[in-house]
Amino acid sequence: IMSRISVLFVCLGNICRSPTAHAVFQSMVDKQGLSDQIYVDSCGTGDWHIGYAPDPRSQQHALDRGYQMDNLRARLVNDQDFDQFDYILVMDKQNLADLKAMNCQNFTGELGLFLDFCRNPNFSDYSEVPDPYYSGDQGFSFVLDLIEDASAELLLQIKDRI
């Protein structure tokens, strides 16, 4: 039995997909009263947006569904993350390749695609969370649909461990 489970969500710039996953999953954790048992964070593999708040469109779509993320700030993934997190869940295959190229050989947690947790058959064609940055409103909304589904299943699996 683990004392505290830690989950890190990773995308490219840490301003759209991973902070959305961070906010959605954190909300689910909070609603179930598990905030002291599950730690949530997010980061990016690219350094363009370090210190910035999430994309305003991501924030607005999240807020429309009751998720607050204006307090989050983009940060870059680092070697220490492999020591500190039990789950490192990435939004796409390029992020996964980037992390595997880092110093993660001794990582004993789960490193993989976040959408492996999706259970909705409508999403079975998706292994990656599409980057909504260059898409319209429907892109951000769809990202939330995917993330909510995967987050619910992830939380169920983590609850079995605590």
Side-chain angles (χ1 to χ4, degrees), residues 36-56:
D36 55 341
Q37 291 171 279
I38 302 172
Y39 175 74
V40 185
D41 197 5
S42 61
C43 64
T45 57
D47 61 2
W48 313 278
H49 306 294
I50 292 173
Y52 286 86
D55 185 292

Side-chain angles (χ1 to χ4, degrees), residues 80-122:
Q80 290 76 37
D81 290 326
F82 294 103
D83 298 326
Q84 296 170 344
F85 288 90
D86 301 300
Y87 291 83
I88 299 179
L89 301 173
V90 301
M91 300 299 139
D92 63 48
K93 292 171 183 155
Q94 184 58 56
N95 303 146
L96 189 56
D98 291 342
L99 290 186
K100 285 182 174 175
M102 292 178 68
N103 186 21
C104 69
Q105 293 80 12
N106 300 324
F107 182 60
T108 56
E110 182 160 340
L111 172 61
L113 293 168
F114 181 41
L115 289 194
D116 286 350
F117 289 94
C118 264
R119 291 297 167 255
N120 185 330
N122 294 333

Side-chain angles (χ1 to χ4, degrees), residues 14-26:
N14 193 211
I15 59 166
C16 294
R17 296 171 293 170
S18 56
T20 299
H22 184 160
V24 168
F25 191 69
Q26 185 69 62

Side-chain angles (χ1 to χ4, degrees), residues 25-36:
F25 191 69
Q26 185 69 62
S27 173
M28 291 181 177
V29 165
D30 293 347
K31 284 185 175 142
Q32 301 224 0
L34 298 171
S35 309
D36 55 341

